[in-house]
Amino acid sequence: DVKVTQSSRYLVKRTGEKVFLECVQDMDHENMFWYRQDPGLGLRLIYFSYDVKMKEKGDIPEGYSVSREKKERFSLILESASTNQTSMYLCASSASPTNEKLFFGSGTQLSVL
Amino acid sequence: ILNVEQSPQSLHVQEGDSTNFTCSFPSSNFYALHWYRWETAKSPKALFVMTLNGDEKKKGRISATLNTKEGYSYLYIKGSQPEDSATYLCYGGDTGRRALTFGSGTRLQVQP
């Protein structure tokens, strides 16, 4: 089965810090996603990548950037962390963004103090 | 971005009850409709991916139907068990971009 690995399960950072969240998948999927999950708001797409160095903004890209230098790795960057970015972050990958199922990592709970 | 909507938001049922939830989505430019189960402290796992109008999928006691013309999908659970307690998410819609959209989910709690 596909394995999607997120580098940290829990992370605590200070306001203004630059934060890197890493995601690695082992199934040669072209498509990778970053979501955040907040109570009552479901899963909201931050950024999506459909190929190396290719990206597309999701619903809430403000305050975030991404990097995809290699096919298996998709990084989410918080340039200057703020308290409203405290959330659960989930990475996913798939062979197709529409017709194939998404495989999710176990999530990173980020707290920004 | 057009919305994918799920109802109800939450549901409490007794063990053995059968239940169903709804996902509605824009019927234009349909690509696919997915259902995921998300258990507490775990990551979402795919249940079904449906692409054709009239599709019906089944996995054990859980089944799903798809009506792309009217823009809805139903998820059915027959004889609910406590281990079915989870949030059920649908993923679909016409976003005008490559990625689709998640609904906000239906939270199911099954009481023993």
Side-chain angles (χ1 to χ4, degrees), chain B residues 35-83:
Chain B
W35 282 100
Y36 292 82
R37 174 164 62 199
W38 193 0
E39 298 175 72
T40 303
K42 295 185 179 180
S43 50
K45 293 278 192 298
L47 289 170
F48 307 113
V49 177
M50 296 182 287
T51 56
L52 298 174
N53 184 44
D55 258 354
E56 292 187 22
K57 301 266 185 174
K58 187 174 180 184
K59 186 185 288 189
R61 295 179 291 100
I62 304 178
S63 60
T65 61
L66 177 66
N67 183 324
T68 62
K69 294 186 189 307
E70 296 181 36
Y72 65 83
S73 175
Y74 294 138
L75 188 78
Y76 300 92
I77 303 179
K78 186 177 176 183
S80 303
Q81 300 295 309
E83 58 264 31

Side-chain angles (χ1 to χ4, degrees), chain B residues 15-27:
Chain B
E15 184 174 352
D17 287 350
S18 293
T19 187
N20 65 85
F21 339 124
T22 304
C23 174
S24 60
F25 52 86
S27 53

Side-chain angles (χ1 to χ4, degrees), chain A residues 54-110:
Chain A
M54 305 304 286
K55 62 186 179 187
E56 205 168 275
K57 289 180 181 179
D59 301 317
I60 49 165
E62 298 78 19
Y64 302 95
S65 61
V66 290
S67 172
R68 187 131 179 240
E69 296 296 319
K70 292 185 178 181
K71 195 172 188 179
E72 66 271 19
R73 187 180 296 272
F74 191 34
S75 303
L76 180 69
I77 303 155
L78 286 66
E79 295 290 342
S80 176
S82 63
T83 53
N84 63 13
Q85 292 178 309
T86 291
S87 187
M88 169 68 82
Y89 290 86
L90 282 160
C91 174
S93 76
S94 73
S96 159
T98 55
N99 291 9
E100 299 288 334
K101 59 186 177 182
L102 274 60
F103 293 87
F104 285 86
S106 51
T108 296
Q109 179 62 52
L110 173 68

